[in-house]
Amino acid sequence: MISEALDYIRVEVRDYLSVTDAEVSTGHLHSLSSDALNPGVRIALVNVGQETTTRNAPHVVRNASGLTEYQEPPVYLNCHLMFAFDFSAYQTNMIRLSETIELFQSKRFFDASNERPANPFPSGLDRLVFDMCSPEFEQLNHIWGVLGGVYLPSILYKVRLLKIQSDETIAGPEVTSLHVQTGFKRK
């Protein structure tokens, strides 16, 4: 699912910026400084974490025939994406950076209801919600240091609610009655 989400986002950015397919790529940021022949926008996954507010989902589901099955609840991920701009002219970097911010300001979430015919929303995804992150200078320095790259004009977004779930289920017995034992004894 992460790969499908990145591909979808890459096409959205490419089309919004009106640049060629080769000018928007996904991958490591450290290779940008050594790749002067291919300028453009690089989208890199810099962190993945679990959305903790959605952890208490039920483990029991009913299938199409009404039988009970046990299935582990989905894991919802927050993915931090860095959009780094390395065009030949610094002014072009600033323009593309502004346009990318404009894209996610005008369209904070992506799902099947607002897909474009040229880029259909992946069927395995529910919704992608974009929140801009504003790390402090020290945090930004650490991020770029860990990524091994030379600092480039960039923006960091947290993409929320990327759903990962296995289709594996285990048949369970039908619950027909409950027996409650309180531990209290009558005298």
Side-chain angles (χ1 to χ4, degrees):
M1 287 294 118
I2 295 173
S3 177
E4 289 90 349
L6 281 174
D7 287 340
Y8 177 79
I9 294 165
R10 185 189 70 76
V11 172
E12 286 293 314
V13 170
R14 178 200 68 197
D15 292 350
Y16 193 83
L17 299 180
S18 300
V19 295
T20 66
D21 199 50
E23 290 179 304
V24 180
S25 61
T26 58
H28 302 287
L29 294 177
H30 64 79
S31 61
L32 274 178
S33 58
S34 62
D35 195 11
L37 299 176
N38 295 315
V41 181
R42 179 68 55 94
I43 305 169
L45 178 67
V46 295
N47 191 25
V48 177
Q50 183 176 8
E51 176 64 47
T52 57
T53 60
T54 60
R55 290 177 64 185
N56 294 328
H59 288 71
V60 179
V61 294
R62 291 207 183 264
N63 64 17
S65 60
L67 297 176
T68 303
E69 293 180 332
Y70 295 104
Q71 182 179 32
E72 287 297 320
V75 174
Y76 290 94
L77 301 177
N78 292 326
C79 297
H80 286 82
L81 300 180
M82 177 77 76
F83 295 80
F85 302 86
D86 190 22
F87 290 91
S88 55
Y90 190 76
Q91 187 64 23
T92 304
N93 291 333
M94 296 300 103
I95 292 169
R96 298 298 187 218
L97 173 62
S98 298
E99 290 173 341
T100 302
I101 294 170
E102 184 180 277
L103 166 64
F104 297 123
Q105 180 275 326
S106 65
K107 197 172 185 182
R108 278 200 64 220
F109 71 90
F110 296 86
D111 62 13
S113 71
N114 65 6
E115 71 181 3
R116 296 177 306 110
N119 188 24
F121 194 74
S123 61
L125 297 175
D126 289 338
R127 175 181 259 201
L128 300 174
V129 182
F130 282 76
D131 292 325
M132 185 189 303
C133 297
S134 301
E136 297 293 326
F137 288 118
E138 185 176 329
Q139 293 170 323
L140 194 59
N141 181 44
H142 286 298
I143 290 170
W144 278 98
V146 167
L147 297 176
V150 177
Y151 177 77
L152 296 168
S154 60
I155 187 75
L156 182 66
Y157 278 94
K158 178 169 78 170
V159 182
R160 294 187 289 126
L161 303 179
L162 186 60
K163 178 181 173 182
I164 306 288
Q165 183 170 30
S166 170
D167 293 334
E168 185 178 323
T169 61
I170 300 170
E174 184 67 27
V175 178
T176 57
S177 65
L178 293 174
H179 175 71
V180 179
Q181 186 174 1
T182 63
F184 294 113
K185 293 185 180 182
R186 290 188 166 182
K187 291 185 182 183

